[in-house]
């Protein structure tokens, strides 16, 4: 298995089976390619999953409703969804991507998620916690729009449809979460 970064910022990974036999398509190698701009999404997503594990371990003896919820949010939204969207956008993108668009999607998604978690954690502590949750949830709307923009012009197929389903799930579940924050 070899990995390297080309001069154009694309990370390539050559995957070979130990016996030297071909994989997937009967050839000798499968090359997985994704642009370097996908890496921050992956790094932060994986860090969120690890952070959720640390939080779970630290609160295992006395879990609260918030820590259980925060673990789920960190793993599912900040972790899995971010890694999936970041990698998939990189693989599916067919048009050049401006750094400002990627940075905006990254900042809106992560700042929005941080505000949702913070606001939820401050429930009962401060009266303006719901405002934090609202601002964070609303920040996810343009983030999802930017994720869709990143894959504009991509060839239609099962992976693009799955990508759009993930975006739709976030867009549908976000207002539900904002309503639940008020209860």
């Amino acid at each position: 298995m070899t990995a390297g970064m080309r001069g154009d910022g694309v990370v390539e990974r050559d995957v070979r089976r130990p016996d030297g036999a071909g994989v997937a398509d009967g050839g000798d190698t499968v090359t997985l390619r994704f642009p370097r701009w996908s890496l921050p999404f992956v790094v932060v997503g994986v860090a969120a999953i690890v952070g959720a594990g640390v939080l779970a371990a630290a609160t295992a003896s006395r879990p609260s409703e918030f820590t259980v919820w925060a673990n789920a949010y960190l793993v599912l939204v900040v972790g899995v969804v971010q890694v999936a969207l970041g990698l998939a956008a990189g693989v599916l993108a067919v048009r050049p991507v401006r750094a400002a668009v990627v940075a905006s999607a990254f900042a809106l998604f992560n700042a929005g998620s941080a505000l949702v978690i913070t606001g939820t954690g401050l429930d009962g502590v401060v009266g303006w916690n719901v405002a934090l949750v609202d601002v964070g949830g609303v920040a996810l709307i343009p983030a999802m729009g930017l994720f869709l923009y990143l894959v504009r012009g991509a060839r239609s197929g099962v992976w693009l449809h799955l990508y759009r389903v993930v975006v739709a799930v976030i867009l549908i579940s976000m207002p539900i979460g904002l309503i639940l924050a008020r209860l």
Side-chain angles (χ1 to χ4, degrees):
M1 183 170 359
T2 61
M5 185 155 331
R6 298 183 345 186
D8 60 0
V10 172
V11 177
E12 288 187 338
R13 186 169 190 131
D14 184 12
V15 183
R16 298 171 196 252
R17 288 192 348 204
D19 62 1
V23 244
D25 62 354
D28 288 335
T29 64
V30 171
T31 301
L32 304 172
R33 297 176 35 159
F34 56 92
R36 190 176 5 180
W37 58 259
S38 292
L39 292 178
F41 295 102
V42 174
V43 169
V44 172
V46 169
I49 294 168
V50 171
V54 170
L55 178 62
T59 61
S61 64
R62 300 190 81 186
S64 68
E65 182 179 336
F66 170 71
T67 59
V68 172
W69 173 87
N71 279 322
Y73 192 92
L74 283 168
V75 170
L76 297 174
V77 178
V78 183
V80 174
V81 167
Q82 182 163 206
V83 169
L85 290 178
L87 279 178
V91 171
L92 294 170
V94 294
R95 296 184 180 171
V97 174
R98 291 190 342 243
V101 173
V102 174
S104 296
F106 181 81
L108 286 166
F109 186 84
N110 286 294
S113 293
L115 287 171
V116 167
I117 292 169
T118 302
T120 304
L122 291 174
D123 184 28
V125 178
V126 295
W128 42 267
N129 71 298
V130 175
L132 289 177
V133 175
D134 288 346
V135 171
V138 169
L140 294 176
I141 295 170
M144 294 300 104
L146 290 171
F147 274 113
L148 290 174
Y149 179 78
L150 289 171
V151 298
R152 71 199 184 286
R155 193 176 72 197
S156 185
V158 69
W159 295 112
L160 181 60
H161 293 305
L162 285 172
Y163 181 88
R164 289 177 176 159
V165 165
V166 170
V167 170
V169 165
I170 295 300
L171 287 172
I172 292 167
S173 64
M174 185 266 305
I176 293 168
L178 294 179
I179 291 167
L180 291 175
R182 288 174 159 38
L183 301 178

